[in-house]
Amino acid sequence: MTVTKYLSKPVPSLSLHFFRIGYGFATTILIIRYFYFGWIHSYFIKPTFFFKHFGWEWIHPLPPIFTYLLFVILLFSALGIFLGYFLRFNLFVFTIGFTWFHFSDATIYLNHYYLISLLGFLLWLSPVTKSNLPILQWKEWIPNVDPIPKLWLYTFRIQMGLVYFFGGVAKLQPDWLFEALPLKLWLYQSEGKLPIIDPILGLPVTAFVFSWIGLLFDLSIPFLLCTKRFRFYAWLVVLFFHSFTSFLFPIGIFPIVMSLSSLIFFEPNWPKTFLTKFLKLNIENDISKSSVIPQKRETQFGFKEYLLITYLTLQITIPFRHIFYPGQVIWTEEAIKFSWQVMVADKVGRVVFFVQNKPIDPKEELTEYQYRMMTIQPEHILQYAKHLQKKGMELTGAKDVPVYVQSDVSINGKPARPLFPPNEDLTKINVNFFPLKGLLR
């Protein structure tokens, strides 16, 4: 049997349908949180300057009224994904809209937001979203959904496994392994959240134990979830791990996304087995009763499947690109994004810019969150320096306005040191695919 024949072998698609339901549920909660906590105003209306991702400078925030309209559309499209209506259309709208707002300011980049965009793209492309599958009519479509090529199931499993695995690889560095940093700092800051175990959290050994548990969890859990013998117990560990960390640390909906998404590792027909054997529900396999399911057909290995192979190749190689840059990636931040470097460092910075020998405090223009993110990321410092240069040239009429910076960054509570020499004109440094010139490594 050839590889393509094996990967095109039909398997039940129910687990992927329930994956889509979980995706819609999690994204609905996410958008509601933006309305409830006022983050739409804080991140997209209040700022007067926005940082850009390299290569994505063409994405700009929308005017205020259209920003709110975008989030209303995102809310309804997420609900549509969850409820099973107009799936392909809603996934297209949500994925484009969500990626747009996520990329409109680089300081709000989060790994699980990037994951949400990727999963939205994969679901939109997948064969399970070609029909309306109302969640309230689940008895009609659960017994009769079309099979899918095995590659689709593997793609989602590999994608979720890569998040864990590369998160573990990122922890293979001295601070995490031998000094329990940054967990030592974060556990101290989290005292009071779980009073019953506060005395345990305060012990020096606890941070080391948690650091190594986190490392072993990330590196092993994808493989344990792939093993039928240990899968259920591994999933229980996933639930406990993400629930516990969500109590201790402010990590948003990341635990919900990962806990629900990890169900994709179970047998492809697990939802039907769960409903019939454990909930004792009667699900008849009669396609004549369903008005929402197309006739079944043989699976094929076509253009989309070859596109998946290319996609997976990129997802496996992109996280390794930081090895081509000198210095420690958690310090330089070069190629750290899109690489699943999840919660591996605690960085605090302070910057003051100098334009024509006058100090410029960026806190006067940036929001508090933007300032904190900018101070620890060299690329953002360079962007703001060129912004100040542009303002200086408009104000003075000069053709060139040098911009300097005094930057001090502390990583994992260690003594602060500068990112750039104080006599380096930041406007002469260009951001591209090559290592940043002038960056102190």
Side-chain angles (χ1 to χ4, degrees):
M1 180 181 292
T2 64
V3 174
T4 55
K5 284 186 177 181
Y6 175 77
L7 293 177
S8 61
K9 183 179 179 181
V11 294
S13 60
L14 266 184
S15 63
L16 194 51
H17 284 287
F18 273 69
F19 184 96
R20 181 265 304 169
I21 294 172
Y23 179 87
F25 175 75
T27 52
T28 299
I29 292 176
L30 171 61
I31 301 303
I32 290 174
R33 281 164 57 88
Y34 266 82
F35 282 102
Y36 181 79
F37 291 107
W39 292 340
I40 302 174
H41 179 270
S42 300
Y43 294 139
F44 306 106
I45 309 300
K46 183 179 178 181
T48 58
F49 175 81
F50 295 89
F51 295 88
K52 305 297 181 183
H53 290 282
F54 171 65
W56 297 83
E57 295 86 356
W58 50 275
I59 293 184
H60 302 283
L62 301 174
I65 184 65
F66 290 105
T67 299
Y68 279 103
L69 178 60
L70 171 62
F71 274 86
V72 171
I73 294 173
L74 288 175
L75 178 59
F76 279 100
S77 59
L79 281 170
I81 296 168
F82 172 60
L83 296 175
Y85 293 100
F86 307 105
L87 289 175
R88 188 146 289 177
F89 173 78
N90 280 319
L91 278 162
F92 177 81
V93 171
F94 183 86
T95 303
I96 296 298
F98 184 85
T99 305
W100 186 278
F101 98 71
H102 182 209
F103 277 38
S104 61
D105 187 355
T107 61
I108 65 171
Y109 171 85
L110 292 172
N111 283 286
H112 60 278
Y113 282 13
Y114 171 52
L115 177 63
I116 286 172
S117 291
L118 293 178
L119 295 179
F121 166 73
L122 289 176
L123 284 170
W124 170 75
L125 198 65
S126 75
V128 303
T129 57
K130 63 184 178 182
S131 306
N132 288 337
L133 300 171
I135 194 172
L136 297 179
Q137 299 177 28
W138 59 272
K139 282 190 176 182
E140 293 185 19
W141 57 263
I142 281 184
N144 306 304
V145 290
D146 286 347
I148 57 174
K150 185 175 289 188
L151 175 62
W152 282 99
L153 197 60
Y154 285 176
T155 297
F156 282 87
R157 288 178 176 177
I158 292 171
Q159 178 62 81
M160 299 309 303
L162 291 176
V163 177
Y164 284 116
F165 182 75
F166 282 116
V169 171
K171 294 177 176 64
L172 296 173
Q173 38 100 359
D175 279 6
W176 188 280
L177 296 174
F178 308 122
E179 299 186 56
L181 293 171
L183 270 183
K184 188 182 297 182
L185 302 174
W186 293 342
L187 288 177
Y188 176 79
Q189 296 168 1
S190 66
E191 287 187 8
K193 292 184 178 180
L194 293 172
I196 298 178
I197 62 172
D198 265 357
I200 299 176
L201 296 179
L203 296 175
V205 69
T206 303
F208 284 92
V209 172
F210 281 14
S211 293
W212 279 86
I213 288 177
L215 169 67
L216 296 176
F217 172 84
D218 284 342
L219 291 178
S220 65
I221 205 66
F223 303 101
L224 294 174
L225 287 170
C226 288
T227 307
K228 187 175 182 179
R229 180 179 180 183
F230 302 109
R231 183 177 295 137
F232 178 72
Y233 302 104
W235 186 69
L236 292 180
V237 172
V238 167
L239 289 183
F240 175 79
F241 179 87
H242 288 302
S243 299
F244 187 70
T245 54
S246 67
F247 277 114
L248 292 180
F249 312 121
I251 48 180
I253 68 160
F254 180 72
I256 297 176
V257 172
M258 299 305 290
S259 297
L260 292 177
S261 297
S262 59
L263 289 169
I264 196 66
F265 288 93
F266 282 84
E267 294 298 320
N269 220 28
W270 75 261
K272 187 175 181 180
T273 303
F274 176 77
L275 291 171
T276 55
K277 290 188 177 181
F278 294 96
L279 297 187
K280 306 298 182 182
L281 297 177
N282 182 27
I283 301 176
E284 297 183 5
N285 198 7
D286 185 0
I287 196 168
S288 64
K289 296 183 178 182
S290 175
S291 60
V292 297
I293 304 300
Q295 294 294 322
K296 295 182 180 180
R297 58 180 175 81
E298 293 297 322
T299 60
Q300 298 179 355
F301 201 92
F303 171 77
K304 288 184 178 181
E305 283 67 38
Y306 285 107
L307 183 61
L308 289 187
I309 298 294
T310 304
Y311 169 88
L312 290 175
T313 302
L314 289 173
Q315 287 300 313
I316 292 171
T317 55
I318 285 175
F320 286 110
R321 71 192 192 282
H322 68 85
I323 64 177
F324 298 104
Y325 295 84
Q328 192 178 21
V329 63
I330 59 175
W331 170 257
T332 67
E333 299 268 340
E334 292 176 300
I336 197 171
K337 293 178 179 176
F338 317 117
S339 300
W340 315 117
Q341 302 260 347
V342 183
M343 296 182 69
V344 293
D346 183 270
K347 298 174 71 174
V348 179
R350 180 182 64 87
V351 300
V352 177
F353 292 91
F354 293 89
V355 180
Q356 297 180 328
N357 297 321
K358 294 181 180 179
I360 303 294
D361 186 355
K363 287 185 288 186
E364 296 178 0
E365 181 177 18
L366 303 177
T367 65
E368 179 184 355
Y369 183 80
Q370 285 181 312
Y371 175 79
R372 285 194 290 112
M373 294 296 103
M374 180 199 68
T375 59
I376 61 175
Q377 300 184 56
E379 184 178 330
H380 294 349
I381 292 176
L382 294 176
Q383 282 189 42
Y384 195 72
K386 294 189 177 183
H387 167 67
L388 292 178
Q389 180 193 42
K390 182 178 179 181
K391 290 175 65 176
M393 290 190 298
E394 292 175 352
L395 184 64
T396 63
K399 293 184 178 180
D400 185 32
V401 176
V403 179
Y404 305 93
V405 69
Q406 179 182 333
S407 61
D408 297 294
V409 178
S410 169
I411 184 169
N412 292 335
K414 297 181 178 181
R417 52 194 180 100
L419 283 170
F420 294 96
N423 60 348
E424 184 81 32
D425 181 5
L426 301 185
T427 65
K428 305 301 182 184
I429 304 175
N430 294 318
V431 176
N432 47 44
F433 289 108
F434 299 98
L436 290 176
K437 297 180 180 179
L439 179 62
L440 298 174
R441 301 175 186 275

